[in-house]
Amino acid sequence: MKNIIFIAAPAAGKGTASEALMEKYGYAHISTGDILRSMAKEDSELGRTLSDLLSKGELISDSIVYEAVEKRLSMPDLDNGYILDGFPRNIEQAIKYDDILKNIGRDLGIVIELKTPVDILKKRITGRRICKECGQTHNVLTNVNAPKVEGICNKCGGTLYQRGDDNEESFKTRYQTYLDKTLPIIDYYRKKGVLYTLESCDPNETLKEIEALINDYN
Ligand code: AMP
């Protein structure tokens, strides 16, 4: 399978689409946000620094991200294709990723931009609740995936929690960072001829469009 890079603002649906593609096609899912959140739980100076930056919605330094990404890309589960969700996030990371690919002998694949209006993103972020047990995402502000019982996962009955950076203040920083730092990489990939932009706000429709791209390319 062709590798996929998702480029999208926070809560545009990268994680949801990635999960569906993992299940259906066996893609490996590499979320730098997930990796960094797990590093932030460590009882160390680095863990505490990461936790503070993540809760404010600020980007983590490139050198830490590169180390985490290179470590993940050296694991043996990538031969059926992998999805990069959250990396690269600025132009320096995009250039560095080209180097990494050369070193590990893998293809860039296709880059999919998910475009979503900011008011929808804000609602998804502030209403997002995640299951501690199975990771299923719910939303208390929309009809889609609303928990049937408050605080309880629809899928497994686990307890729901709110991510530390899923609040309005942090959303502002994360969205502005996306506009300032991440959007320029759209042009970088457009020039390489690998960019596809999808604009539906319906996760099922988005998934269908992604699957059509996958089928065209594999
Ligand atoms: P996400 O789960 O993709 O929304 O990412 C959550 C947070 O992790 C971001 O707000 C950043 O603080 C951090 N993060 C994730 N990926 C990167 C990256 N490639 N570079 C720098 N920081 C990142």
Side-chain angles (χ1 to χ4, degrees), residues 18-76:
S18 300
E19 267 167 37
L21 298 174
M22 266 167 80
E23 262 182 39
K24 188 157 177 184
Y25 299 95
Y27 274 104
H29 177 211
I30 303 179
S31 155
T32 42
D34 283 350
I35 295 173
L36 293 165
R37 275 186 290 280
S38 108
M39 288 167 68
K41 285 189 194 140
E42 283 162 27
D43 185 15
S44 64
E45 183 136 359
L46 176 64
R48 283 181 284 278
T49 308
L50 288 177
S51 173
D52 182 46
L53 290 170
L54 287 172
S55 67
K56 289 184 190 144
E58 287 175 26
L59 286 189
I60 305 304
S61 76
D62 288 344
S63 58
I64 292 175
V65 174
Y66 296 154
E67 200 180 322
V69 168
E70 289 187 277
K71 186 169 163 203
R72 180 64 185 87
L73 288 175
S74 70
M75 291 183 185

Side-chain angles (χ1 to χ4, degrees), residues 5 15-16 24 32 41-42 45 48 52 62 76 78 84 88 90 103 114-115 118 123 136-137 164-165 167 172 201 204:
I5 298 177
T16 306
K24 188 157 177 184
T32 42
K41 285 189 194 140
E42 283 162 27
E45 183 136 359
R48 283 181 284 278
D52 182 46
D62 288 344
L78 309 178
L84 275 182
N90 60 35
N103 289 338
L114 304 178
K115 261 191 174 172
V118 63
K123 219 174 179 181
Q136 180 76 22
T137 298
D165 57 350
N167 55 65
K172 270 191 211 155
C201 299
N204 293 326

Side-chain angles (χ1 to χ4, degrees), residues 9 15 21-22 64 78 100 105 113 141 143 178 191 193 202 210:
L21 298 174
M22 266 167 80
I64 292 175
L78 309 178
I100 295 177
E113 176 195 16
L141 297 179
N143 293 331
Y178 177 74
K191 285 183 190 139
D202 172 353
I210 297 170

Side-chain angles (χ1 to χ4, degrees), residues 24-198:
K24 188 157 177 184
Y25 299 95
Y27 274 104
H29 177 211
I30 303 179
S31 155
T32 42
D34 283 350
I35 295 173
L36 293 165
R37 275 186 290 280
S38 108
M39 288 167 68
K41 285 189 194 140
E42 283 162 27
D43 185 15
S44 64
E45 183 136 359
L46 176 64
R48 283 181 284 278
T49 308
L50 288 177
S51 173
D52 182 46
L53 290 170
L54 287 172
S55 67
K56 289 184 190 144
E58 287 175 26
L59 286 189
I60 305 304
S61 76
D62 288 344
S63 58
I64 292 175
V65 174
Y66 296 154
E67 200 180 322
V69 168
E70 289 187 277
K71 186 169 163 203
R72 180 64 185 87
L73 288 175
S74 70
M75 291 183 185
D77 61 338
L78 309 178
D79 288 347
N80 195 39
Y82 59 89
I83 297 170
L84 275 182
D85 161 359
F87 178 88
R89 230 170 171 112
N90 60 35
I91 201 79
E92 293 78 12
Q93 292 185 7
I95 293 168
K96 170 75 177 180
Y97 184 50
D98 284 341
D99 283 347
I100 295 177
L101 286 173
K102 263 188 224 141
N103 289 338
I104 62 174
R106 293 195 184 272
D107 285 337
L108 180 67
I110 55 174
V111 179
I112 302 178
E113 176 195 16
L114 304 178
K115 261 191 174 172
T116 313
V118 63
D119 52 323
I120 294 185
L121 296 174
K122 194 162 145 189
K123 219 174 179 181
R124 284 190 190 158
I125 286 270
T126 49
R128 179 155 67 184
R129 302 290 183 275
I130 301 167
C131 177
K132 271 190 187 156
E133 308 301 324
C134 71
Q136 180 76 22
T137 298
H138 300 63
N139 197 297
V140 296
L141 297 179
T142 63
N143 293 331
V144 184
N145 290 333
K148 292 190 180 104
V149 179
E150 198 185 321
I152 301 294
C153 174
N154 291 344
K155 194 170 159 193
C156 77
T159 308
L160 301 180
Y161 73 98
Q162 183 170 23
R163 252 169 62 174
D165 57 350
D166 276 352
N167 55 65
E168 207 168 322
E169 199 48 38
S170 169
F171 172 71
K172 270 191 211 155
T173 310
R174 288 159 73 196
Y175 188 68
Q176 197 55 48
T177 305
Y178 177 74
L179 298 180
D180 296 342
K181 303 268 164 91
T182 308
L183 269 188
I185 70 179
I186 299 281
D187 251 2
Y188 182 80
Y189 288 124
R190 184 177 290 120
K191 285 183 190 139
K192 284 181 184 278
V194 293
L195 181 80
Y196 298 86
T197 298
L198 307 181

